[in-house]
């Protein structure tokens, strides 16, 4: 089937990858059995491919469900939010297509030109989402007490919080640690 | 607020509150969540005199127990106020709130996430009446012991035996070897006084495979281990050092016949074994946990990406154009590449988790009505989604840590402990490769069914419809 450089086309591509990988596993198990291996040994010899097929199946489910479930909700939200939610779906699907190019090249009719377009599409999506990057994580609405991070606090006082955290180290409770008198000083003076 | 961060917020093109409400499931749900957070955080349980990172292993456990008890007190108050059933337990203990207060895990998690759900799913009505009330009120503390030192996901290989003695109407639990010792369960070491134990059932000289039993481990007053119970903690781990993981061995420990959970299979007084409609029904708890795990992974990813994104808006680095200030690192495309996929992943997994949760509820309702048809499909799906979501979450958290450079390596960033929690999930409830291979068994069968012209279940129906193969 011809490759379609659309979200639906990519999802279908992932389903082809999963189906193709499962089919190959079945065929390889059978081939190995035909050489005299037991089913269990044939399974074991094919298990790297089987795990990969299983992951491909899961990716196909993840992409399909994310896409279809988002389609159900986008008509209930404002146009501005709708646009961002759809950009995120696009980003996720295109990202995984680029991550799994080898599989797509093997099991679908994707071409080099299609891949170039996918890469540009991905970079374009990053640029489009960039202005909303902080808004998107603010929407996870995780309070500082829950986030518990010097780097991620809502007010962005990163360096002040890092220093506050450093000062809480028990080693900073005294100016000179006892190990200096016990070990370092005698060692430095050649007495240890 | 840092001016760079404020500028980012000013230029946002959508209404953040609208997205918050959408993620929560509606305005009312957001209000409920915030009320819950206010209620829990106003107790100040999360505030520590000494940062817990600097405590010894023993002190960390003691603090975790103290916090877990105080947290339970808050939940009890919530229950009295709005009587929200299991929802408060899941929201407070299983969600972001729980991991905020008990950063390195809670010794009571398995009580709520495995002990009570197993009682609900595997105990007969009479047994539920006897145990569940006490468990909810924390009059008893339970955990769930399945994995052994010598065997993990391959549960048919478990060695612990439960041999029925009709003369006393008791089961005798025994660990015949060192490798038969139960190993890993959270809360088992020094917290729980009861435990659901998966053991090979023997009656009338015949083995009937693994079955769940409820076993008392410690005296309810003194907390001393009971006779024949060999119990302790397994030691320090990469993360989750507050969860009190333990080991457990049995030396011919006798328990009453009624302590076998008998919703599905039964042993009658004379030792007659009554089979369950499906051997897979005993795996219900694992399936439940795998489904819940997908939601947990969303929470960890959301945390990590929030930290790294805000940091990337504040942090400035390098000078690509002469005579211009150092740009925010978020302006580098490579940084956007690292982080924005994390945001998208949270949304993708959240919607998939909701979808899987609905499916789980539908299938368990069908099971209660005696319909087992979709059980293998749910099992296959929960296995692979658990594997992929935990692997992706661990990778996402690690990517976020790297996106924060050296500062992400500081425990104060909360990224290392978040990584500890996510990567732990790659191995518990079934190591990921093993789970992928379990799904593969289902997929191979589905392929063979499709080849035979048979109808396929919805989630694998694409196998019969898509054609694969590269165009020449």
């Amino acid at each position: 089937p011809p490759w379609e450089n659309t979200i639906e086309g990519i999802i279908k591509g992932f389903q082809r990858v999963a189906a193709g990988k499962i089919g190959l596993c079945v065929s390889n198990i059978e081939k190995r059995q035909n050489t005299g291996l037991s089913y269990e040994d044939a399974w074991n010899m094919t298990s790297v491919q089987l795990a990969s097929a299983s992951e491909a199946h899961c990716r196909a489910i993840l992409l399909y469900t994310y896409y279809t479930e988002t389609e159900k909700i986008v008509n209930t939200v404002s146009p501005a939010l709708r646009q961002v939610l759809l950009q995120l779906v696009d980003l996720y699907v295109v990202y995984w297509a680029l991550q799994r190019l080898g599989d797509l090249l093997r099991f679908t009719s994707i071409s080099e030109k299609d891949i170039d377009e996918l890469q540009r599409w991905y970079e374009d999506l990053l640029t489009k989402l960039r202005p909303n990057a902080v808004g998107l994580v603010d929407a996870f609405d995780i309070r500082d007490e829950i986030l518990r991070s010097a780097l991620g606090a809502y007010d962005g006082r990163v360096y002040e919080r890092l220093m506050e955290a450093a000062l809480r180290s028990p080693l900073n409770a005294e100016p000179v640690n006892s190990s200096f008198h016990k070990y370092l000083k005698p060692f430095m003076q050649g007495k240890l | 607020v840092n001016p760079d961060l404020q500028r980012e917020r000013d230029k946002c093109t959508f209404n953040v509150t609208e997205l918050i409400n959408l993620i929560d499931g509606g305005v009312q749900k957001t209000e409920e969540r915030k009320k819950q957070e206010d209620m829990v955080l106003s107790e100040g349980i999360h505030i520590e005199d000494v940062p817990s990172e600097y405590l010894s292993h023993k002190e960390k456990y003691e603090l975790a127990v103290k916090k877990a008890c105080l947290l339970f007190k808050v939940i009890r108050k919530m229950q009295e106020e709005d009587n929200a059933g299991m929802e408060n337990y899941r929201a407070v203990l299983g969600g972001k709130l729980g991991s905020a207060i008990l950063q390195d895990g809670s010794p009571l998690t398995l009580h709520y996430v495995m002990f009570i759900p197993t009682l609900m799913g595997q105990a007969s009505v009479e047994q539920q009446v006897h145990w569940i009330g006490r468990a909810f009120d924390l009059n008893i503390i339970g955990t769930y012991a399945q994995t052994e030192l010598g065997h993990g996901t391959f549960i048919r290989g478990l060695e612990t035996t439960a041999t029925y003695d009709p003369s006393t109407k008791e089961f005798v639990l025994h660990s015949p070897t060192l490798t038969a010792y139960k190993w890993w369960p959270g809360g088992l070491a020094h917290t729980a006084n009861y435990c659901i134990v998966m053991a090979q059932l023997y009656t009338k000289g015949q083995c009937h495979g693994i079955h769940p039993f409820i076993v008392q481990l410690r005296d309810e007053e003194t907390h001393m281990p009971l006779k024949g119970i060999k119990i302790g903690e397994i030691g320090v781990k990469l993360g989750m050092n507050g969860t009190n993981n333990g080991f457990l061995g049995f030396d011919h420990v006798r328990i009453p016949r009624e302590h076998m959970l008998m919703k599905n299979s039964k042993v009658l007084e004379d030792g007659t074994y009554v089979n369950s409609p499906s051997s897979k029904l005993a795996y219900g708890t694992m399936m439940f946990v795998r489904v819940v795990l997908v939601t947990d992974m969303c929470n960890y990813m959301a945390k990590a990406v929030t930290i790294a994104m805000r940091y990337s808006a504040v942090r400035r680095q390098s000078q690509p154009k002469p005579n211009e200030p150092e740009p925010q690192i978020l302006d580098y495309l490579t940084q956007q590449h690292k982080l924005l996929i994390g945001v998208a992943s949270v949304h993708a997994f959240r919607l998939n988790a909701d979808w899987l949760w609905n499916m789980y509820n539908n299938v368990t309702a069908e099971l209660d009505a005696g319909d087992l048809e979709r059980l293998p499909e749910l099992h296959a799906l929960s296995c692979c989604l658990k594997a992929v979501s935990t692997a992706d979450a661990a990778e996402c958290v690690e990517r976020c840590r790297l996106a924060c450079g050296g500062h992400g390596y500081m425990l104060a960033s909360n990224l290392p402990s978040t990584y500890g929690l996510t990567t732990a999930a790659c191995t518990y409830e079934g190591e990921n490769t093993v789970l992928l291979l379990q799904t593969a068994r289902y997929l191979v069968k589905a392929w063979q069914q499709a080849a035979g012209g048979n109808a396929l279940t919805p989630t694998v129906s694409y196998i019969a419809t898509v054609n694969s193969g590269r165009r020449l």
Side-chain angles (χ1 to χ4, degrees), chain A residues 16 54 57 59 65 78 105 107-108 110 122 130 132 138 141 143 147-150 152 154-155 159, chain B residues 2 8-9 13 18 33-34 37-38 100 310 315 331 337 352 392 412-414 436 439 462 467 470:
Chain A
R16 287 193 185 112
S54 188
H57 163 72
R59 293 277 168 220
T65 308
S78 66
L105 281 164
F107 292 103
T108 75
I110 194 169
Y122 178 70
R130 164 68 186 89
N132 289 318
D138 282 350
D141 202 24
R143 291 168 59 148
L147 206 57
R148 298 186 75 137
S149 169
Y154 187 83
D155 63 11
Y159 300 113
Chain B
N2 174 285
E8 294 292 336
R9 288 179 177 131
T13 64
E18 188 186 2
R33 174 177 59 81
K34 284 183 183 291
E37 288 173 359
D38 284 339
R310 287 182 181 158
R315 177 72 169 181
D331 279 335
H337 169 62
N352 272 278
D392 282 10
S413 73
N414 202 15
L436 287 174
T439 302
Y462 69 86
N467 301 310
R470 192 159 172 78

Side-chain angles (χ1 to χ4, degrees), chain B residues 114-150:
Chain B
M114 295 196 85
F115 183 67
I116 293 177
T118 307
L119 288 174
M120 290 163 101
Q122 312 279 332
S124 66
V125 176
E126 298 77 28
Q127 288 174 322
Q128 289 192 28
V129 169
H130 184 77
W131 296 107
I132 289 183
R134 295 189 76 203
F136 260 114
D137 289 341
L138 221 63
N139 298 138
I140 57 170
I141 299 170
T143 184
Y144 179 94
Q146 181 171 294
T147 300
E148 293 172 359
L149 196 49

Side-chain angles (χ1 to χ4, degrees), chain B residues 48-267:
Chain B
E48 291 163 351
D49 299 332
V50 179
S52 55
E53 297 83 5
Y54 293 113
L55 298 178
S56 71
H57 185 61
K58 190 164 162 265
E59 287 167 332
K60 276 184 189 170
Y61 167 66
E62 288 158 0
L63 181 67
V65 171
K66 180 183 159 191
K67 283 183 173 185
C69 290
L70 292 172
L71 202 55
F72 180 78
K73 224 169 111 182
V74 182
I75 297 170
R76 190 177 275 169
K77 209 161 100 185
M78 281 179 179
Q79 295 291 104
E80 283 163 7
E81 281 181 15
D82 61 12
N83 196 23
M86 271 301 270
E87 286 309 303
N88 282 330
Y89 290 89
R90 267 196 71 194
V92 176
L93 292 163
K96 287 175 271 189
L97 259 174
S99 64
I101 289 164
L102 291 136
Q103 264 182 302
D104 217 11
S106 163
L108 291 185
T109 297
L110 255 61
H111 177 75
Y112 297 105
V113 178
M114 295 196 85
F115 183 67
I116 293 177
T118 307
L119 288 174
M120 290 163 101
Q122 312 279 332
S124 66
V125 176
E126 298 77 28
Q127 288 174 322
Q128 289 192 28
V129 169
H130 184 77
W131 296 107
I132 289 183
R134 295 189 76 203
F136 260 114
D137 289 341
L138 221 63
N139 298 138
I140 57 170
I141 299 170
T143 184
Y144 179 94
Q146 181 171 294
T147 300
E148 293 172 359
L149 196 49
H151 281 99
T153 317
F154 176 59
I155 51 182
R156 274 180 290 137
L158 296 179
E159 296 175 82
T160 305
T161 54
T163 309
Y164 186 63
D165 177 356
S167 65
T168 58
K169 298 188 185 82
E170 287 173 322
F171 287 101
V172 182
L173 279 129
H174 187 60
S175 312
T177 61
L178 175 67
T179 50
Y181 270 55
K182 296 293 176 187
W183 188 267
W184 272 121
L188 176 67
H190 295 91
T191 316
N193 53 8
Y194 281 83
C195 182
I196 287 165
V197 174
M198 294 299 264
Q200 302 287 357
L201 167 65
Y202 284 87
T203 178
K204 295 188 173 177
Q206 208 184 336
C207 179
H208 295 279
I210 59 150
H211 287 73
F213 300 85
I214 184 162
V215 185
Q216 184 173 358
L217 306 174
R218 292 173 178 271
D219 183 272
E220 286 189 28
E221 280 303 313
T222 63
H223 209 55
M224 284 296 286
L226 298 185
K227 189 172 163 250
I229 302 281
K230 297 166 181 179
I231 201 165
E233 204 229 10
I234 63 167
V236 196
K237 307 169 300 279
L238 186 150
M240 301 191 89
N241 283 300
T243 45
N244 195 221
N245 300 72
F247 63 80
L248 169 66
F250 299 101
D251 182 7
H252 300 96
V253 174
R254 288 183 167 265
I255 59 168
R257 184 184 69 92
E258 296 78 18
H259 282 208
M260 172 178 157
L261 300 187
M262 296 206 205
K263 180 179 175 182
N264 302 315
S265 310
K266 292 176 183 65
V267 170

Side-chain angles (χ1 to χ4, degrees), chain B residues 448-456 464:
Chain B
Q448 285 159 342
Q449 275 179 333
N454 297 311
L456 296 177

Side-chain angles (χ1 to χ4, degrees), chain B residues 439-451:
Chain B
T439 302
R441 284 202 188 276
Y442 180 76
L443 295 175
V444 167
K445 275 185 200 156
W447 177 272
Q448 285 159 342
Q449 275 179 333

